[in-house]
């Protein structure tokens, strides 16, 4: 069936974000303008809380919206296993149960990342050939955008898991950014061979050999921090600890620059004239750099599509995350991943034997 006419059901966890369910309902209203005519958004949360917001926006009888009552919610301080055991009726857990049962095609949540990763791994399960899920972000760079994987799901990774991140990130780049043959860089402290420790060096050796056997990605070698924004790689592979620091540093930088410009303009009227003249340019730059542009990070490697939006996402960021889920489903990225992982794992076992010899 054609992706444009296919219908998708996306569960939206309405209770987990910092800005509350009202902001999520506004995000749903924005997303409704762009989803397919046959798509449905399932709002998961406390129905008595959601109902007034839906009525105010005239969405209470919208045929594209359903509400699934979930009386509890996951807090940012909750531990994954504790939440899974004691909060089975929380909105995030209910949404994952729906995904597991095939009632929805994707889950979008602004909630607790650790619980989201744990619930996704336990409820939805890993796809064959993948050891751990990875959060994947689309980052701005000088010439377009790059995929960074992982940005927070798995802080400590093995070389094998970094190889899996390479496969998942490359497929996502092909599907979402229309990259023909992604160039992949391994994030480390320098581009010279031997820098970065045993784990990085072993991963580098694996990827150098793997790129000779799989023709749908190109390994460009180790890259460093400068290359995240100035380089020419389409996918940057790292662990979730490093990737999360990079991601949040970028978000902080964007907000800082915005605050500095605003303060300068307020103090000097001449800057107002300059800002008016430069408005088209500033608007274009802001559009490319704003953190909410792509809305969320897909949790790749699961048997289902899960999008994690930032906890502090506003309605525009959360709406973008909902649309990202829809676009990712339409791209078919998840259906291609198991075969690609299988091919990579078989090649990796051969490479390990050759390197030992």
């Amino acid at each position: 069936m054609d992706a444009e006419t296919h219908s998708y059901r996306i569960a939206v966890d309405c209770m987990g974000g910092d800005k509350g369910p009202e902001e999520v309902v506004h995000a749903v209203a924005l997303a409704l303008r762009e989803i397919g005519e046959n798509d449905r958004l399932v709002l998961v949360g406390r129905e008595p809380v959601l109902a007034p917001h839906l009525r105010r926006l005239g969405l209470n009888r919208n045929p594209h919206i359903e509400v699934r009552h979930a009386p509890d919610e996951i807090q940012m301080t909750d531990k994954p296993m504790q939440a899974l055991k004691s909060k089975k009726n929380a909105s995030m857990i209910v949404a994952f149960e729906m995904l597991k049962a095939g009632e929805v095609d994707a889950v979008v949540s602004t909630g607790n990342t650790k619980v989201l990763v744990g619930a996704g791994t336990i409820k939805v399960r890993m796809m064959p050939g993948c050891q751990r899920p990875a959060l994947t972000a689309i980052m701005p760079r000088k010439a377009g955008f790059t995929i960074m994987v992982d940005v927070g799901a798995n802080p400590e990774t093995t070389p094998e898991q970094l190889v899996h991140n390479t496969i998942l990130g490359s497929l996502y780049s092909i599907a979402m950014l229309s990259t023909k043959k992604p160039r992949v860089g391994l994030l480390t402290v320098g581009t010279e061979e031997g820098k970065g420790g045993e784990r990085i060096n072993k991963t580098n050796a694996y990827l150098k050999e793997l790129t000779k056997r799989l023709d749908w990605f190109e390994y460009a070698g180790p890259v460093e921090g400068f290359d995240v924004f100035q380089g020419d790689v389409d996918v940057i592979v790292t662990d979730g600890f490093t990737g999360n620091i990079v991601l949040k540093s970028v978000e902080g930088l964007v907000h800082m620059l915005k605050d500095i410009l605003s303060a300068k303009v307020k103090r000097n009227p001449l800057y107002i004239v300059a800002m008016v003249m430069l408005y088209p340019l500033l608007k274009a730059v802001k559009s490319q750099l704003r953190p909410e542009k792509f809305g969320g990070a897909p949790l790749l490697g699961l048997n289902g599509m899960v999008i994690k939006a930032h906890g502090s996402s506003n309605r525009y960021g959360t709406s973008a995350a909902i649309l990202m889920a829809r676009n990712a489903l339409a791209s078919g990225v998840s259906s291609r991943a198991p075969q690609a992982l299988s091919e990579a794992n078989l090649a990796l076992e051969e490479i390990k034997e050759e390197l030992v010899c």
Side-chain angles (χ1 to χ4, degrees):
M1 184 179 291
D2 187 86
E4 294 301 318
T5 60
H6 199 113
S7 61
Y8 300 104
R9 299 184 74 217
I10 300 170
V12 182
D13 173 16
C14 295
M15 309 305 295
D18 297 342
K19 297 185 181 298
E22 181 178 6
E23 192 73 5
V24 179
V25 174
H26 276 281
V28 167
L30 292 172
L32 285 173
R33 302 174 186 175
E34 299 186 52
I35 64 171
E37 61 180 15
N38 298 315
D39 295 331
R40 299 290 184 273
L41 301 180
V42 184
L43 280 61
V44 187
R46 294 195 183 102
E47 190 169 7
V49 173
L50 298 176
H53 302 312
L54 290 169
R55 283 197 297 270
R56 271 194 292 273
L57 294 174
L59 300 177
N60 52 310
R61 295 183 180 178
N62 191 296
H64 293 279
I65 289 180
E66 302 173 26
V67 176
R68 176 67 64 91
H69 178 59
D72 208 346
E73 64 183 276
I74 301 295
Q75 304 294 331
M76 289 299 181
T77 54
D78 285 340
K79 305 298 183 184
M81 294 310 299
Q82 179 184 2
L84 286 168
K85 291 178 180 178
S86 63
K87 293 189 173 182
K88 296 181 180 180
N89 291 318
S91 54
M92 183 191 292
I93 306 303
V94 172
F96 274 116
E97 291 287 2
M98 296 173 68
L99 182 60
K100 178 183 177 181
E103 297 177 43
V104 295
D105 303 295
V107 170
V108 175
S109 177
T110 58
N112 184 314
T113 300
K114 288 185 178 180
V115 177
L116 180 133
V117 173
T121 304
I122 292 172
K123 296 291 184 182
V124 186
R125 302 289 185 182
M126 300 302 304
M127 65 174 53
C130 191
Q131 295 178 3
R132 293 295 302 265
L135 281 168
T136 307
I138 299 178
M139 308 278 285
R141 59 172 164 137
K142 182 172 64 175
F145 300 94
T146 188
I147 301 290
M148 179 171 282
V149 54
D150 179 15
V151 293
N154 193 12
E156 298 181 4
T157 55
T158 65
E160 291 79 9
Q161 289 163 2
L162 288 173
V163 169
H164 294 163
N165 288 357
T166 300
I167 305 305
L168 296 171
S170 296
L171 289 175
Y172 196 69
S173 179
I174 292 169
M176 300 299 285
L177 298 180
S178 301
T179 313
K180 291 183 178 179
K181 188 174 183 178
R183 283 174 50 82
V184 177
L186 178 64
L187 188 61
T188 183
V189 294
T191 57
E192 303 87 350
E193 292 284 336
K195 296 189 74 171
E198 181 180 355
R199 181 188 58 163
I200 292 296
N201 292 332
K202 187 175 287 187
T203 306
N204 179 52
Y206 290 164
L207 292 176
K208 283 170 66 177
E209 293 300 317
L210 197 62
T211 192
K212 300 173 184 176
R213 309 179 192 215
L214 301 177
D215 61 1
W216 44 268
F217 82 92
E218 175 188 353
Y219 180 52
V223 297
E224 48 191 338
F226 302 112
D227 298 304
V228 174
F229 308 107
Q230 292 290 104
D232 61 352
V233 292
D234 303 298
V235 179
I236 294 178
V237 175
T238 186
D239 59 81
F241 183 85
T242 306
N244 192 262
I245 291 174
V246 172
L247 181 66
K248 289 180 178 176
S249 296
V250 174
E251 293 175 352
L253 176 63
V254 171
H255 288 302
M256 182 196 72
L257 291 174
K258 179 181 176 181
D259 292 341
I260 289 175
L261 286 172
S262 178
K264 293 287 185 183
V265 169
K266 288 178 181 178
R267 285 200 295 266
N268 191 334
L270 291 177
Y271 288 148
I272 298 176
V273 178
M275 291 285 282
V276 171
M277 295 177 64
L278 292 173
Y279 179 74
L281 174 62
L282 293 172
K283 184 178 180 181
V285 172
K286 179 183 177 182
S287 175
Q288 183 167 352
L289 293 181
R290 70 181 191 268
E292 69 268 19
K293 180 176 179 66
F294 288 99
L299 186 61
L300 300 179
L302 298 177
N303 285 316
M305 181 56 60
V306 176
I307 302 291
K308 171 64 175 76
H310 200 293
S312 60
S313 292
N314 58 22
R315 63 192 63 178
Y316 302 103
T318 305
S319 173
I322 295 169
L323 296 174
M324 175 181 282
R326 204 275 173 192
N327 292 336
L329 289 168
S331 76
V333 61
S334 295
S335 63
R336 292 193 291 272
Q339 179 62 33
L341 285 165
S342 176
E343 293 175 7
N345 284 331
L346 286 173
L348 185 58
E349 290 305 312
E350 294 176 357
I351 291 167
K352 287 180 181 179
E353 292 180 6
E354 292 171 7
L355 291 177
V356 169
C357 296

